Amino acid sequence: MISSELDAAGVHDVALRESYQKCRAINAQHGRTFFLATRLLAPEQRPAVHALYGFARRADDVLDQFDSRTTAERADELQGLSTALFTRMVENQPSGDDPTLDAVVHTARKYDLDWQLFDDFLASMRMDLTVTDYPDRAALDRYMYGSAEVIGLQMLPILGTVVPREEAAPHAAALGKAFQLTNFIRDIDEDLTRGRVYLPADELAAHGVDRDVLTWCQKNRRTDQRLRAALVEQLAITRTVYRSAEPGIAMLAPKSRPCISAALTLYSGILKRIEDIDYAVFAQRATVSIPRRLRVASVGLAKALRARARRQEV
């Protein structure tokens, strides 16, 4: 299956194939919902998406793995990753230092991705080294542009559009933001353990929530009524972002729509799961059930196969 995807994508160099395979393995291991959705893409599209995911995950791991590295050491490692990426872009030589770089650079060149998007992504990653709180929605949006919206923008050339790309771009960016906002709500416990809060402080304060309240909730594995009210508001805001993203699906190439539709359905479903567990985000991790994921994937697969059949007929 892996070989057939790489063959379909025209990737024949042995070292480059190994780089793509590494990215695919990273996606399969860490991005279960996203990986399932990528199975609905045409085979020739999948390696590029895996490459983008693999690189993003590589940067995330520098920042988020629980280990003994200091902030300075993480900063050095992130800078090393950035330098290696842009050196690889300029010199167009294989990199032996990081197996994800060759695939992501090959993808960027093949689809003519704007290098500035990678720079913007890494700028937001650097923020995670020192920024632990966001005073308001505007500050959080600045972070999310680089950490989430650019991912949607990078995906667009791979997915293809039936309208000018700039028309679909705001919706693609919104979907990336919606996915990340969902993560911020679901992973509030894990993020707080790392010392970070990714929900706007002023919006939390409007419900009487501050770090002390969050710390109490984490320690007691309970969601008190103040935090519950704040999370109700955060879910409503996030659903608004999903609604702004949804019209973009019809702007994509037909072969790509089932994948993105499934991803939106599954990821937005996490919000429903948070409601179902009565916002007990410190007691358990809200996930979409395997049967639900398989049902959504089955519907998406049927649509994807029909889209590919129509494309072959044309």
Side-chain angles (χ1 to χ4, degrees):
M1 182 65 73
I2 301 174
S3 294
S4 63
E5 291 175 359
L6 293 172
D7 290 342
V11 179
H12 304 296
D13 178 80
V14 173
L16 189 56
R17 288 171 75 92
E18 290 178 355
S19 181
Y20 273 107
Q21 288 168 355
K22 175 65 175 177
C23 291
R24 185 185 188 277
I26 292 171
N27 194 349
Q29 180 181 356
H30 297 287
R32 291 178 297 174
T33 298
F34 184 69
F35 181 76
L36 180 63
T38 63
R39 305 301 303 152
L40 304 180
L41 289 172
E44 68 270 15
Q45 294 174 296
R46 297 172 199 162
V49 175
H50 294 323
L52 292 177
Y53 183 95
F55 177 74
R57 182 72 197 194
R58 173 70 181 86
D60 280 342
D61 285 347
V62 172
L63 299 161
D64 290 345
Q65 282 185 341
F66 291 105
D67 55 37
S68 60
R69 286 176 297 173
T70 66
T71 298
E73 288 170 336
R74 293 176 193 272
D76 288 343
E77 188 173 349
L78 189 62
Q79 182 57 49
L81 179 65
S82 176
T83 299
L85 174 68
F86 289 104
T87 299
R88 174 72 180 84
M89 289 176 180
V90 172
E91 295 182 355
N92 198 26
Q93 295 295 321
S95 170
D97 298 329
D98 191 305
T100 66
L101 294 184
D102 292 338
V104 76
V105 170
H106 180 264
T107 291
R109 292 184 184 281
K110 178 177 180 178
Y111 289 97
D112 194 26
L113 303 185
D114 186 350
W115 297 121
Q116 183 63 45
L117 295 176
F118 290 94
D119 204 31
D120 292 337
F121 169 75
L122 289 166
S124 284
M125 295 302 96
R126 292 186 189 96
M127 290 175 65
D128 276 330
L129 293 167
T130 57
V131 179
T132 57
D133 298 89
Y134 294 85
D136 51 36
R137 180 71 51 176
L140 185 62
D141 283 345
R142 285 192 291 273
Y143 169 78
M144 285 194 296
Y145 173 75
S147 63
E149 292 185 35
V150 300
I151 305 300
L153 297 175
Q154 288 172 331
M155 287 278 290
L156 263 188
I158 300 167
L159 300 174
T161 61
V162 294
V163 299
R165 194 179 300 169
E166 58 270 20
E167 185 177 339
H171 303 288
L175 188 58
K177 179 189 285 189
F179 287 167
Q180 188 164 68
L181 286 171
T182 302
N183 286 342
F184 289 162
I185 299 169
R186 180 194 63 189
D187 299 337
I188 188 170
D189 180 23
E190 186 176 320
D191 290 332
L192 188 62
T193 299
R194 295 189 177 97
R196 305 181 197 139
V197 177
Y198 288 108
L199 302 177
D202 61 342
E203 295 175 14
L204 295 180
H207 298 278
V209 177
D210 57 15
R211 267 191 176 260
D212 288 341
V213 171
L214 293 174
T215 301
W216 184 92
C217 290
Q218 184 181 53
K219 180 180 178 180
N220 293 278
R221 295 295 165 192
R222 290 176 55 190
T223 302
D224 82 352
Q225 289 305 306
R226 291 170 293 179
L227 178 57
R228 188 183 186 282
L231 293 179
V232 168
E233 180 183 49
Q234 294 302 311
L235 260 69
I237 292 171
T238 303
R239 284 187 167 124
T240 298
V241 181
Y242 274 112
R243 286 194 292 272
S244 69
E246 193 166 8
I249 294 176
M251 300 178 185
L252 299 175
K255 66 178 181 179
S256 299
R257 293 172 194 167
C259 167
I260 303 306
S261 179
L264 187 152
T265 298
L266 290 171
Y267 238 87
S268 62
I270 294 172
L271 301 180
K272 179 63 167 60
R273 282 293 300 139
I274 292 171
E275 291 173 330
D276 290 343
I277 63 174
D278 198 26
Y279 301 90
V281 291
F282 286 107
Q284 59 184 292
R285 193 171 193 264
T287 58
V288 177
S289 68
I290 292 176
R292 171 63 174 162
R293 276 186 264 167
L294 292 177
R295 285 196 298 272
V296 172
S298 297
V299 172
L301 180 59
K303 292 179 179 178
L305 291 175
R306 287 196 295 270
R308 290 174 208 169
R310 285 194 294 268
R311 186 176 50 147
Q312 289 173 353
E313 292 171 0
V314 174

